[in-house]
């Protein structure tokens, strides 16, 4: 009985929290749109790419993509090091 | 442990199709939704299908760890190299020096709503290819490393 | 209202597949339910007009994560609580 009460109360609090956020959000109309408008108006001319997402990711925000690639590289180097250690050394062939 | 003949045959047939679809997503990254990361992840899914269907010894005949790691490294180096090449043109790092120049990927841009031309967008397709090759090698070699932990049990 | 029906169906499917992931004692079935969850989330991204995110979610969430879990289940026991 007590468990049900606790679960119900926590669910109610969570529903109130997310409901309040969802009701106060105005979807699709942010307050300041200067930078978005600049990208949408001039992106095709400046980068020559029809896909605006790729234009932003690879051209306007190129350093972001550089960091993402570096993070992926470091993660895979870490996975490689982890499995190299698990093999015990002598019978791990470098193929 | 290898899976049944149905799974293996389906993996054999589906792998080239997935490869071509991923390369299409990479190559058309500046025209249609997608890009380097998404296309590389799609190709890595095809590699994962082959890896799950066969056992370790048969897979390492196809997918070599050296090749995949080399792809990963060369993708990252190529990505930085394309950015650094802007310094040779007297511009800043990551400047789009190829757009509208008339050389490779440098066709004048059709402005407004248009079906798209593959030969546009300057360095964006080159960077797409670099990131696609990197993600292809990287995500495939992660699953290959996972499988190499099972090698002793004959899986 | 009529255009929100697929969205509601996808959200209901998300809840069902998330509950199924916890309910199954067979870990392979639970992994497939998690893959179904990722696939439905990618469908939801597509409905919300983000096809870039939908492609990467379908490839990584539904493809690679499921493959990694299947390889991990190959190395260990298939049923929960077995052998302990």
């Amino acid at each position: 009985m007590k468990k049900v009460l606790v679960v119900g109360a926590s669910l109610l609090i969570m529903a109130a929290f997310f409901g309040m956020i969802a009701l106060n959000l105005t979807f699709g109309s942010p307050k300041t749109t200067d930078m978005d408008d600049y990208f949408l108006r001039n992106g095709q001319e400046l980068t020559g790419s029809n896909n605006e997402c790729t234009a932003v990711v690879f051209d306007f925000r190129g350093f972001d993509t550089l960091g993402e690639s570096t993070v992926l590289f470091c993660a895979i180097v870490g996975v490689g090091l982890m499995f190299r250690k698990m093999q015990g050394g002598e019978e791990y062939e470098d193929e | 442990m290898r899976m049944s003949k149905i799974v293996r045959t389906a993996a054999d047939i589906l792998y080239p199709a997935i490869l071509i679809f991923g390369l299409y997503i990479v190559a058309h990254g500046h025209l249609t939704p997608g890009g380097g990361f998404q296309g590389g992840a799609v190709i890595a899914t095809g590699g994962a299908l082959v890896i799950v269907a066969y056992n370790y010894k048969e897979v390492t005949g196809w997918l070599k760890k050296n090749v995949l790691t080399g792809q990963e490294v060369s993708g990252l180096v190529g990505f930085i190299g394309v950015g650094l090449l802007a310094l040779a043109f007297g511009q800043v790092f990551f400047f789009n020096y190829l757009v509208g120049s008339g050389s490779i990927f440098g066709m004048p841009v059709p402005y407004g709503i248009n079906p798209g031309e593959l030969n546009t967008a300057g360095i964006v397709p080159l960077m797409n290819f670099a990131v696609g090759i990197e993600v292809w090698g990287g995500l495939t070699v992660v699953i290959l490393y996972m499988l190499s932990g099972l090698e002793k049990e004959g899986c | 209202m009529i255009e929100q029906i697929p969205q509601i169906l996808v959200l209901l499917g998300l809840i069902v597949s998330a509950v199924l992931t916890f309910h199954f004692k067979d870990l392979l079935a639970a992994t497939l339910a998690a893959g179904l969850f990722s696939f439905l989330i990618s469908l939801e991204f597509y409905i919300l007009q983000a096809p870039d995110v939908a492609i990467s979610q379908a490839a990584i969430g539904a493809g690679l994560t499921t493959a990694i879990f299947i390889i991990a289940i190959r190395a260990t026991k298939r049923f929960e609580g077995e052998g302990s």
Side-chain angles (χ1 to χ4, degrees), chain C residues 4 23 78:
Chain C
Q4 285 176 352
H23 178 260
R78 181 171 165 178

Side-chain angles (χ1 to χ4, degrees), chain B residues 1-3 25 32-35 37-39 41-42 44-45 48 51-55 139 142-143 146-147 150 153 155, chain C residues 28 46 50-76:
Chain B
M1 182 182 74
R2 54 216 289 235
M3 290 205 176
I25 289 181
T32 54
F37 189 81
Q38 286 90 356
V42 167
T45 309
I51 288 171
V52 168
Y54 287 88
N55 61 10
L139 292 183
V142 162
I143 299 177
M146 283 290 295
L147 196 67
L150 304 185
E153 300 161 25
C155 289
Chain C
L28 194 59
Y46 182 70
D52 285 299
V53 193
I55 293 172
S56 55
Q57 177 70 32
I60 291 180
L64 291 176
T65 314
T66 311
I68 287 178
F69 272 121
I70 285 174
I71 290 172
I73 287 170
R74 253 191 205 180
T76 55

Side-chain angles (χ1 to χ4, degrees), chain B residues 14-31:
Chain B
L14 281 178
Y15 182 67
I18 294 174
L19 196 72
I20 288 170
F21 179 62
L23 286 175
Y24 159 75
I25 289 181
V26 172
H28 289 243
H30 57 293
L31 299 177

